[in-house]
Amino acid sequence: MKKTLFLFMFFFLFSYVVVNKFTLGIIVFIVYMGFALMALKKDNTLDSVIDISFEYSKKSKVVLTIFIFVGALTASWLASGTIPGIVYFGIKFINPNLFIFFTFFITSIIAFFLGSSFGTASTIGIALMAIARSGNIDVNIVGAAIISGIYFGDRWSPLSSSANLVASLTGIDIYSNLKNMIKSMIIPYLLTSLFYIFLSRSYILSTNENTISGLILNTYNLDVRFIFIPVVAIVIFSILRINVRISMVVSIILASAVAVVVQKEKITDVIKYLTLGFYKFDGTSLEKIIKGGGVVSMLNAFILIIISCSLVGLFEQLNILYYIKNKIMNVKTRADLFRNTVIVSF
């Protein structure tokens, strides 16, 4: 039964990545199949290959759950006016002389609350790029600041799928891990902020009135008493160290309620947004800025995580990492640990 289920799942996922021309997914599948054939050639049975693949793919369960909630969370925050509100007030209070720094700072904060680099880049990131274009600032510099900010937030967030994956694979408490990361995070973050403050002096935003703020204000009810409730809930739950999945579910429910009550969305539409993503403004000026999210948007990431974890299982079975493990385990100083971590990461 397990063999049949695995082969069916494998065939279904592979068909999906081929039909959707998901290049990275196809590559990972080919690599997995190559190592699976290698395992069979080294006298491993098909059952043992399937068993180890199943065992390691189950380690991704926590992360896959987070992916579902991240997709729904992003869509619900778009529908409730939470993300548009953050964009609106962020634009309103940005100092044009420090635009590059604020780009980094705002994206890092949004990514922290969302726990998704892609979700942040596809919302506030696009808005900031639009502002940069209208304000005659080099979009390459702004793009670099956005990437810098989103990956900070994505790595140091209790909602982050990558942080949860690390916690799941290593068997540690995610909040303990994030707490320990603070020690190595503060100085780089401050140095990066200073760098962007210095860089901002050479890239000053034009003070012409920006149309994005007006579009958002005319489209959403930006009542601050309600639209930021989903964010406040996430913050409070994180401080209380409540399970991440519980905090995300609560935030999604609150955001959906705000969408229905404050933004006058239909309940059926909100459910559709949570599943398929928020695509309400097609054909309008907000189309490229206020859109995305939904559980479906996470399918590619789902597939990569499942197959990658299965691949790690094959590595273990074939003892491919045995030599590397022996070399990197001989750590005597913090410098050795840092060096080996960098080498393995590459």
Side-chain angles (χ1 to χ4, degrees), residues 213-269:
S213 297
L215 286 171
I216 292 174
L217 188 61
N218 292 332
T219 306
Y220 283 93
N221 176 2
L222 299 182
D223 191 331
V224 294
R225 294 174 300 172
F226 302 106
I227 63 172
F228 294 129
I229 288 176
V231 178
V232 173
I234 288 287
V235 174
I236 293 174
F237 277 48
S238 297
I239 293 172
L240 297 176
R241 299 182 68 167
I242 293 173
N243 186 285
V244 172
R245 285 166 287 183
I246 295 175
S247 65
M248 294 179 83
V249 168
V250 171
S251 183
I252 290 167
I253 293 172
L254 290 172
S256 299
V258 172
V260 173
V261 175
V262 179
Q263 308 301 343
K264 307 303 179 185
E265 294 281 359
K266 295 179 181 177
I267 295 177
T268 52
D269 287 339

Side-chain angles (χ1 to χ4, degrees), residues 121-294:
S122 62
T123 51
I124 185 67
I126 291 176
L128 289 166
M129 289 293 277
I131 298 169
R133 288 193 184 95
S134 65
N136 298 317
I137 289 185
D138 188 340
V139 292
N140 296 298
I141 301 295
V142 176
I146 289 170
I147 291 172
S148 184
I150 64 177
Y151 279 114
F152 161 77
D154 180 64
R155 292 302 179 269
W156 195 65
S157 168
L159 309 183
S160 168
S161 54
S162 57
N164 278 275
L165 177 62
V166 171
S168 175
L169 293 176
T170 56
I172 60 174
D173 176 61
I174 185 169
Y175 288 105
S176 298
N177 195 32
L178 295 176
K179 182 180 178 181
N180 290 329
M181 286 171 64
I182 295 177
K183 301 171 185 176
S184 59
M185 175 270 289
I186 293 176
I187 293 177
Y189 190 85
L190 291 176
L191 289 175
T192 305
S193 298
L194 289 173
F195 171 74
Y196 282 126
I197 288 172
F198 175 79
L199 198 62
S200 295
R201 301 160 92 186
S202 302
Y203 297 93
I204 298 174
L205 184 71
S206 172
T207 54
N208 292 333
E209 186 66 30
N210 198 285
T211 58
I212 294 174
S213 297
L215 286 171
I216 292 174
L217 188 61
N218 292 332
T219 306
Y220 283 93
N221 176 2
L222 299 182
D223 191 331
V224 294
R225 294 174 300 172
F226 302 106
I227 63 172
F228 294 129
I229 288 176
V231 178
V232 173
I234 288 287
V235 174
I236 293 174
F237 277 48
S238 297
I239 293 172
L240 297 176
R241 299 182 68 167
I242 293 173
N243 186 285
V244 172
R245 285 166 287 183
I246 295 175
S247 65
M248 294 179 83
V249 168
V250 171
S251 183
I252 290 167
I253 293 172
L254 290 172
S256 299
V258 172
V260 173
V261 175
V262 179
Q263 308 301 343
K264 307 303 179 185
E265 294 281 359
K266 295 179 181 177
I267 295 177
T268 52
D269 287 339
V270 172
I271 294 172
K272 183 180 75 173
Y273 298 151
L274 297 180
T275 308
L276 303 177
F278 186 81
Y279 296 97
K280 181 180 180 180
F281 302 122
D282 291 349
T284 70
S285 301
L286 288 175
E287 179 183 0
K288 293 183 179 180
I289 302 170
I290 310 297
K291 68 173 184 178

